[in-house]
Amino acid sequence: MDALSKTITDVVAQIQPSVVHVRATADNGDLSGMGSGVVIDNTHVITSAQVVSGEEKEIQVQTANGRKYRASIVGVDPLYHVTVLEIDGWLGIAPPKLASSREVLPGQAVVAIGNALGHDYNVTFGVVTSVNRTVYRPERLPVDGLIITDASFHPGNTSGALVRLDGVLVGVVGIPWQHGLGLAIHSDVVWRLANQIIDYGQATHPWLGFSGEPEIIDNALVDLFDLDVTRGVTVLQVADGGPGQQAGVMVDDLVVRIKGEPVGSLGSIRQVLATHRHGESVTLTVLRNGSLVDLDFPVAEMPRLRWGKNR
C-alpha cells in the first residue's frame, strides 16, 4: 500500500468510532430518514435535519461496533439544518479532536467519512479549497463559518465527519454545492450550535441590522491609530430599528474590531456575536471621522428565522 493510502485508511480507522449511523421511522413504521452523525459527547450526536427533523416517532443511533441506542431530539437548528440528538444510554465514545478556525487552511488534505446505511463506511478524499465562507440562503439569510472542499459529498457521507490527515475534525459534512464542490460546517460552529442547543434549547443567530463591504485600511490610518488590523468593513446601509441603529452605527463607519477581534467581513462580526445570547451586548469598534469609537452592540436574533422543534 502506498504512503497516502495508508495515511487515509489510518485516519478512517481512527475517526470511525465517532461517526455513527442514524435511522428514523415515522408513525406508520415507515423509514423516514437515514444518514450519518458525529458524536459530540457520550450522550449527544449531531446529524442533519434532512435525516431527523422533528416529526419522527422513533430514532435509532448505531455505533461502529454495531451497538444500537434509542435517541430523542434536543433541538433542530433552522439556519444550518442540523439536529442534536440525545442518546438513551452511554456511548462510551470519545468525541473527535477539533481544529480551531485558524488551523484550517486552503490546500489542506481532508477525508469525508460517513455511515449512511449502517453496515459500511463511505470515504471520499480531497482538499480544503476555501475557509470561513458565508453563503446566503434563498431568503437572504446568511450562513457563516462554512468550509468549501472538493471532497465529494453525497448521501453516503452527508452529516458525517470532515477530517484532516492527522485525524482532527475540521467540520461536519454538509451538502453538495456547485462545480463539484461541497459545503461543510466548521467544527467550531458545529460545537457552538450543539452546546447552545443543549444548554438553551436553541442556538444564537445574530442580526446586524446593517450592511457593508470589506475594505483595506489605509496605511496612514493604521500607523496613526496603531491598529493591529489592516482590514475592516465599511458600513453602507443601516436598517431602521435594527441592532446596528440601536448601537449607533452610522453609514461610512469603518468597523475594525468586534470584542477586540479584528473584523474582515460581516460574517466575522456575526460569528463573534453568535457566541453570546440574546439580550447581551458586545463592544464594536469603528473608525469614524478620524477617531476610534467604541459602540455597545446588542445581540439580537435574526428576523424571519423559523425555529424547529426544541426542548
Side-chain angles (χ1 to χ4, degrees):
M1 183 183 296
D2 64 272
L4 178 59
S5 295
K6 185 177 187 312
T7 298
I8 293 173
T9 56
D10 287 347
V11 169
V12 173
Q14 178 182 341
I15 203 69
Q16 268 186 354
S18 301
V19 180
V20 299
H21 170 64
V22 180
R23 179 186 180 92
T25 55
D27 286 337
N28 60 5
D30 290 344
L31 181 68
S32 60
M34 187 167 60
S36 304
V38 177
V39 172
I40 300 169
D41 56 37
N42 277 304
T43 56
H44 295 95
V45 166
I46 191 163
T47 187
S48 170
Q50 295 175 328
V51 178
V52 180
S53 63
E55 303 300 324
E56 296 76 15
K57 179 182 180 181
E58 184 174 321
I59 304 165
Q60 183 185 85
V61 169
Q62 179 178 319
T63 58
N65 60 11
R67 294 193 63 181
K68 298 177 181 179
Y69 300 83
R70 288 182 178 272
S72 57
I73 295 174
V74 180
V76 179
D77 187 85
L79 188 64
Y80 286 83
H81 294 303
V82 298
T83 300
V84 177
L85 302 176
E86 184 170 11
I87 305 301
D88 183 10
W90 185 260
L91 292 173
I93 298 172
K97 294 181 180 179
L98 307 182
S100 72
S101 57
R102 293 184 176 90
E103 296 174 329
V104 184
L105 302 172
Q108 285 181 335
V110 287
V111 180
I113 304 169
N115 185 3
L117 300 178
H119 56 75
D120 197 9
Y121 280 81
N122 179 280
V123 178
T124 56
F125 173 73
V127 298
V128 172
T129 63
S130 183
V131 297
N132 207 21
R133 291 290 298 270
T134 296
V135 172
Y136 285 83
R137 292 192 353 185
E139 61 269 56
R140 300 300 299 164
L141 295 178
V143 184
D144 302 311
L146 300 179
I147 297 170
I148 300 177
T149 175
D150 65 357
S152 299
F153 290 175
H154 49 73
N157 54 20
T158 299
S159 300
L162 186 69
V163 297
R164 297 188 314 216
L165 296 189
D166 58 0
V168 175
L169 185 80
V170 301
V172 170
V173 175
I175 60 171
W177 189 36
Q178 57 186 9
H179 308 303
L181 301 175
L183 296 173
I185 308 170
H186 196 285
S187 56
D188 277 356
V189 175
V190 167
W191 253 243
R192 190 262 303 172
L193 292 171
N195 285 314
Q196 288 182 335
I197 289 172
I198 291 168
D199 291 341
Y200 306 109
Q202 64 185 46
T204 301
H205 299 300
W207 175 37
L208 296 182
F210 68 87
S211 62
E213 290 185 353
E215 184 172 318
I216 296 175
I217 304 173
D218 187 273
N219 288 333
L221 293 175
V222 172
D223 294 338
L224 178 63
F225 294 100
D226 194 25
L227 295 175
D228 56 355
V229 295
T230 58
R231 293 178 180 271
V233 171
T234 299
V235 177
L236 300 179
Q237 184 178 19
V238 180
D240 290 340
Q245 187 182 68
Q246 294 172 34
V249 174
M250 300 175 65
V251 172
D252 293 330
D253 279 351
L254 180 64
V255 183
V256 294
R257 295 193 194 97
I258 175 74
K259 199 183 174 182
E261 295 291 325
V263 166
S265 65
L266 293 174
S268 65
I269 301 173
R270 285 190 295 264
Q271 287 190 68
V272 172
L273 292 173
T275 63
H276 294 263
R277 300 300 297 163
H278 175 75
E280 298 178 355
S281 61
V282 176
T283 300
L284 186 78
T285 304
V286 303
L287 188 59
R288 177 187 298 166
N289 298 326
S291 299
L292 285 175
V293 180
D294 286 339
L295 304 175
D296 199 29
F297 199 94
V299 180
E301 288 295 325
M302 240 179 235
R304 298 178 289 116
L305 187 59
R306 293 184 178 180
W307 293 99
K309 178 181 177 181
N310 293 288
R311 277 193 308 188

